[in-house]
Amino acid sequence: MTAANGVYAFQAKLSAEVSGSLGAGRRTMLQLPTAGGKTAIALSIARLYLAAGLRVWFLCHRRELVAQACARCEAEGVAYGVIQAGKRGDAAAAMQIGSVDTLAHRWESFEAPDLIVWDEAHRMASASWTRLAKRFPLARHLGL
């Protein structure tokens, strides 16, 4: 059975737990197997931030993952901008989906996020990801 917001009941429970964890601290990691619904959970949390008038970045390391996140937002009616080489997105959108590599060079063109979702967060050990994360010490960080 799916919940009203398009996620399964276990995902809604995890979403609430992760939201609580983000409220208690700045950094949280969500680990689920492939196709477990990490993007759905992250998007449900992002909606809470967006509803409160806050800014969210959903960052990926590959074009295919950016495209998947964009498709999910479109399917659920969430407005977003795209930060990716060769794309001109809406820089004023509260939700930005983008490439870490592109954002590493364009971050000054955007308002600071309140929440950064890091897809494939095991890549956080790389220098470029770490540098980007350190630029936003006041943001909440959710690793997937």
Side-chain angles (χ1 to χ4, degrees):
M1 298 289 291
T2 58
N5 62 357
V7 297
Y8 289 99
F10 82 91
Q11 294 169 333
K13 182 178 182 288
L14 282 172
S15 178
E17 290 174 3
V18 169
S19 292
S21 179
L22 284 167
R26 296 220 171 266
R27 297 176 186 274
T28 298
M29 180 69 75
L30 172 62
Q31 179 181 340
L32 285 171
T34 300
K38 294 177 292 291
T39 301
I41 293 167
L43 187 54
S44 71
I45 293 166
R47 285 176 167 215
L48 296 173
Y49 278 73
L50 296 169
L54 301 173
R55 304 187 71 70
V56 178
W57 289 357
F58 190 103
L59 304 181
C60 309
H61 76 287
R62 293 184 15 221
R63 288 181 174 273
E64 297 84 5
L65 297 174
V66 171
Q68 288 173 12
C70 290
R72 184 67 187 238
C73 282
E74 286 177 22
E76 296 194 23
V78 177
Y80 64 92
V82 178
I83 306 167
Q84 186 176 9
K87 301 257 181 177
R88 273 277 189 241
D90 179 3
M95 173 80 166
Q96 295 290 331
I97 300 172
S99 160
V100 173
D101 291 336
T102 302
L103 190 59
H105 295 94
R106 295 186 193 171
W107 66 272
E108 291 175 316
S109 301
F110 298 88
E111 287 188 50
D114 299 289
L115 171 66
I116 303 175
V117 178
W118 301 90
D119 196 20
E120 304 290 339
H122 60 276
R123 298 180 152 279
M124 289 300 297
S126 75
S128 61
W129 286 48
T130 300
R131 238 185 344 268
L132 187 58
K134 286 182 179 180
R135 293 192 191 284
F136 304 100
L138 299 179
R140 303 284 190 218
H141 296 262
L142 173 57
L144 306 179

